[in-house]
Amino acid sequence: MPTVGAWARILILGFFTLTVILYGIKHGVHGFGGGDFKPSYTIFIAAVPVLIFNYVGFEVPNSAGEEMENPQRDVPFTVLRAFIASVLLYGGPILAILLVLPTSAITSLGGFIDAIKTVFTVYGGHVAKDGTGTLTGAGKVLGDVGGIALILAYLTSGTTWIMGADRSQAVAGYDGSAPRALGYFSRRWGTPVVVNVLSGVVATLLMVLAFRLTQGNSAKYFSAVLGLAISTTTISYIAIFPSLIKLRYSHPEVERPYRVPFGMAGAWIAGGLTTLWSIVATVFLLWPGLGVNWFGHNGKPNDSLPSQFAGHHGRLTYELTQIVPLLVLLGIGVAFYFAGTSTRRRTVGPADPVPVD
């Protein structure tokens, strides 16, 4: 599944970048200056959580390290290759979008879709005076293929994330940070079947809760769930990143497959900076607009809310969509930890096999 998603990204992003070059040769491109990249405070606090969400996750291959023949060699190179590929495959198309579309037309995911509709007109179609692209003939066919590849890329991205997260949760159950029943893997498939099913149940409950809080408004639902998905990720890293520093002090004798260089100074720099940015991203996600008017910037904090939550009760509704699910998840996490007490009391050797059903 991750391989299919990777190829979908390579094909759609690579073909898109090539098409931008053809479009630029035929129609020219928009220019932009260095000042266009200077963000306001409002843009900064909106962009930080999304950027942090994009940067974390490269370490997910660690969760499948026991299935690799040489994880000490393969995991670091996998992370490095993923990083380089991400920079090239995302940086190139983003630059292409900035060159093709006027800055006023760039709107996150919509900007990429609009850019596809615009540049694919070189294969068939036209661009109206207002900048709207209409695809015909081969352009429409290729546009449909690109849309399918984009959906496949997002589908496999979510699948890859849940594969890594489920395996990590199952190992937590095996190690005593969750109920022991969660730490079982399928003998046939090697998958954490209990956690897989539980993930589906929790995801369904959260979806129903989000729909209830947003009165079935799909646009509100998307904004709410996106914020919640990012915040749950950044909150988890607030505990993950400083563990590097803590373990260097509490278990210095343990052999590490991979180590941050430069001793404790390197550990403090790496762990400290990443923890700080995770906290910043989490705070801005849970309370959009925090700090507006604090540093001489004039504006309204509620303007930083997703547009679907504008209105008299917009702030309250949005905060409920974030805080209530997080409190539920926190309660589940605490309950899981206490449920794993008996497992933690037993001494488990590092060479013990992973249990299977």
Side-chain angles (χ1 to χ4, degrees):
M1 186 64 72
T3 303
V4 170
W7 276 108
R9 288 175 177 79
I10 292 173
L11 292 175
I12 183 61
L13 296 176
F15 187 70
F16 171 77
T17 305
L18 174 63
T19 305
V20 169
I21 297 174
L22 298 177
Y23 183 89
I25 294 174
K26 184 176 181 180
H27 299 286
V29 295
H30 294 279
F32 52 82
D36 294 330
F37 294 93
K38 182 180 179 180
S40 64
Y41 178 79
T42 303
I43 298 298
F44 172 77
I45 62 176
V48 165
V50 178
L51 291 174
I52 296 298
F53 183 67
N54 283 333
Y55 293 150
V56 298
F58 286 108
E59 80 292 342
V60 169
N62 278 301
S63 64
E66 77 279 2
E67 297 182 8
M68 301 181 184
E69 293 182 0
N70 189 345
Q72 187 172 8
R73 178 200 64 193
D74 295 339
V75 169
F77 279 106
T78 299
V79 173
L80 180 61
R81 285 195 297 266
F83 170 74
I84 294 175
S86 296
V87 170
L88 295 177
L89 290 173
Y90 287 99
I94 288 173
L95 176 61
I97 292 173
L98 295 175
L99 290 172
V100 170
L101 293 180
T103 54
S104 60
I106 298 174
T107 56
S108 186
L109 175 61
F112 182 64
I113 296 174
D114 290 340
I116 287 180
K117 293 175 65 177
T118 298
V119 301
F120 277 28
T121 56
V122 298
Y123 307 116
H126 65 276
V127 179
K129 292 182 178 180
D130 62 357
T132 302
T134 301
L135 299 176
T136 59
K140 187 178 187 307
V141 174
L142 291 173
D144 291 343
V145 173
I148 294 173
L150 186 62
I151 293 172
L152 185 61
Y154 283 112
L155 173 64
T156 55
S157 177
T159 303
T160 303
W161 263 103
I162 204 167
M163 286 168 62
D166 282 2
R167 184 171 291 274
S168 297
Q169 182 62 65
V171 172
Y174 177 58
D175 287 342
S177 296
R180 187 65 175 79
L182 300 183
Y184 285 89
F185 290 74
S186 168
R187 182 182 301 276
R188 180 180 180 185
W189 302 108
T191 56
V193 288
V194 177
V195 181
N196 286 156
V197 174
L198 186 62
S199 293
V201 173
V202 172
T204 303
L205 292 176
L206 289 176
M207 180 187 69
V208 173
L209 179 62
F211 265 119
R212 294 288 295 177
L213 291 173
T214 58
Q215 290 79 48
N217 186 315
S218 59
K220 277 190 175 183
Y221 167 72
F222 178 80
S223 300
V225 172
L226 179 62
L228 183 63
I230 298 177
S231 65
T232 51
T233 302
T234 57
I235 288 173
S236 67
Y237 281 100
I238 294 176
I240 292 173
F241 287 136
S243 65
L244 164 65
I245 302 172
K246 187 267 182 187
L247 292 173
R248 284 288 185 92
Y249 283 107
S250 62
H251 296 75
E253 75 286 352
V254 176
E255 179 67 24
R256 307 292 179 189
Y258 350 95
R259 294 182 67 90
V260 174
F262 309 116
M264 286 306 304
W268 272 99
I269 292 173
L273 287 176
T274 50
T275 302
L276 173 64
W277 282 111
S278 296
I279 294 173
V280 170
T282 301
V283 170
F284 289 152
L285 278 167
L286 297 183
W287 196 269
L290 181 69
V292 173
N293 296 325
W294 289 8
F295 307 103
H297 172 77
N298 295 322
K300 299 178 181 179
N302 285 351
D303 290 343
S304 296
L305 290 169
S307 59
Q308 296 82 8
F309 289 88
H312 182 65
H313 298 291
R315 171 67 67 176
L316 176 61
T317 304
Y318 179 80
E319 297 303 336
L320 285 175
T321 64
Q322 306 301 299
I323 302 300
V324 172
L326 285 175
L327 289 177
V328 172
L329 291 174
L330 178 61
I332 293 174
V334 173
F336 275 13
Y337 183 77
F338 282 107
T341 301
S342 60
T343 302
R344 293 194 302 275
R345 287 174 178 169
R346 298 195 298 266
T347 301
V348 180
D352 287 356
V354 174
V356 295
D357 61 7

